[in-house]
Amino acid sequence: MTKAFIFDLDGVIVDTAKFHFLAWKNLAESLDISFTEKENEQLKGVSRVRSLEKILEWGNVSITEDKFNELMAEKNEEYLSYVDQMNAKDILPGVLETLKYLKHNNHLIALGSASKNARLILDKVGLTAYFEAIVDGNEVTKAKPDPEVFLMGCQFLKVDPNQAIVFEDSQAGIKAANAAHMTSVGIGSVDILSESDFIFNDFTEIDEQTIHALMNFNK
Ligand code: B16
Ligand code: MG
């Protein structure tokens, strides 16, 4: 059976979560809304629109549609100013080795990200060529925990969803993979990712043997 390996982007391939955090924090504080790492965790894997809606809900603040769009644009502008400084050094430890191994062994690789900036980021860090399919925030209509983003990846690759292995750092993304009966692999802390089929701190813990274990796992 052909397997598909689907990678989330932010928090899995690169640590852009720290850039989202800075930009959302500045935005929230400009509205007198408190924003810490705890709130940031809840925005991981969540779309830009839904993230701003959540921040406004937390602060009990209502604004006009024009102001909403203005804040979204400002947040993205600040975020992109950080992204602009990125290069191959920003690829998280072990990721390149895993991608090389999968490619070398002719496994199918897709990206499944909520970010509308995903293609730009992959280009900046020089990883675009590894992906047979890229599904990002521009294609999907339903955000994680809906599995649409990963199901589309499988469709592009012509692989059954139950043959897919998803690498994710967010609770919403793990729920999405589980909902589609895919093998869910959490990258990060067990406190956050306890619903995953497998959990690793980072890709340096994933070797050839581990990849075989992921491929042989039946839900
Ligand atoms: P953008 P992922 C997600 O990416 C991030 O985790 C989330 O924090 C962000 O709000 C979302 O992308 C949208 O990003 O503003 O660039 O469109 O983790 O699904 O790769
Ligand atoms: Mg993520």
Side-chain angles (χ1 to χ4, degrees):
M1 272 287 198
T2 312
K3 297 278 175 180
F5 290 84
I6 308 182
F7 288 72
D8 172 51
L9 178 67
D10 293 338
V12 167
I13 294 178
V14 286
D15 183 17
T16 36
K18 63 186 178 205
F19 302 148
H20 284 295
F21 174 67
L22 287 174
W24 282 133
K25 190 172 167 61
N26 282 338
L27 179 148
E29 286 176 353
S30 76
L31 298 168
D32 280 329
I33 301 171
S34 137
F35 190 86
T36 67
E37 295 277 2
K38 192 172 148 256
E39 281 80 27
N40 194 52
E41 195 56 50
Q42 294 178 57
L43 301 186
K44 287 187 181 171
V46 176
S47 71
R48 200 181 310 162
V49 174
R50 187 65 200 124
S51 297
L52 182 51
E53 285 171 356
K54 277 177 169 258
I55 292 171
L56 296 172
E57 280 163 25
W58 293 331
N60 215 358
V61 170
S62 56
I63 55 173
T64 63
E65 199 182 323
D66 282 354
K67 181 74 182 168
F68 189 98
N69 291 333
E70 193 186 303
L71 288 174
M72 289 248 296
E74 275 174 28
K75 186 269 169 180
N76 198 46
E77 204 178 308
E78 181 176 341
Y79 175 68
L80 288 179
S81 73
Y82 303 129
V83 166
D84 197 45
Q85 320 284 319
M86 291 178 81
N87 57 43
K89 290 197 192 89
D90 291 289
I91 300 170
L92 286 168
V95 171
L96 189 59
E97 291 76 2
T98 303
L99 287 171
K100 281 187 175 162
Y101 175 81
L102 295 175
K103 199 83 188 155
H104 187 72
N105 288 279
N106 298 316
H107 293 304
L108 296 170
I109 309 174
L111 189 86
S113 166
S115 173
K116 292 190 171 178
N117 298 305
R119 284 169 194 272
L120 170 73
I121 296 168
L122 281 185
D123 278 350
K124 284 239 116 196
V125 300
L127 290 181
T128 310
Y130 285 91
F131 294 85
E132 270 89 32
I134 296 177
V135 186
D136 65 16
N138 298 294
E139 273 101 358
V140 293
T141 54
K142 297 180 211 115
K144 300 169 190 174
D146 189 286
E148 184 185 21
V149 64
F150 299 140
L151 289 171
M152 277 175 98
C154 285
Q155 254 170 26
F156 279 123
L157 298 177
K158 300 191 172 49
V159 168
D160 264 10
N162 64 11
Q163 298 302 314
I165 295 147
V166 173
F167 298 107
E168 253 294 344
D169 71 314
S170 72
Q171 277 178 3
I174 292 296
K175 282 184 198 297
N178 288 341
H181 307 288
M182 300 173 171
T183 300
S184 57
V185 185
I187 304 293
S189 148
V190 66
D191 303 336
I192 294 160
L193 303 167
S194 58
E195 289 175 47
S196 331
D197 297 321
F198 294 83
I199 306 178
F200 302 99
N201 286 308
D202 60 41
F203 277 85
T204 62
E205 295 178 0
I206 301 180
D207 58 11
E208 208 177 312
Q209 224 178 333
T210 318
I211 291 179
H212 284 281
L214 300 179
M215 288 173 65
N216 292 327
F217 179 74
N218 288 311
K219 276 206 135 168

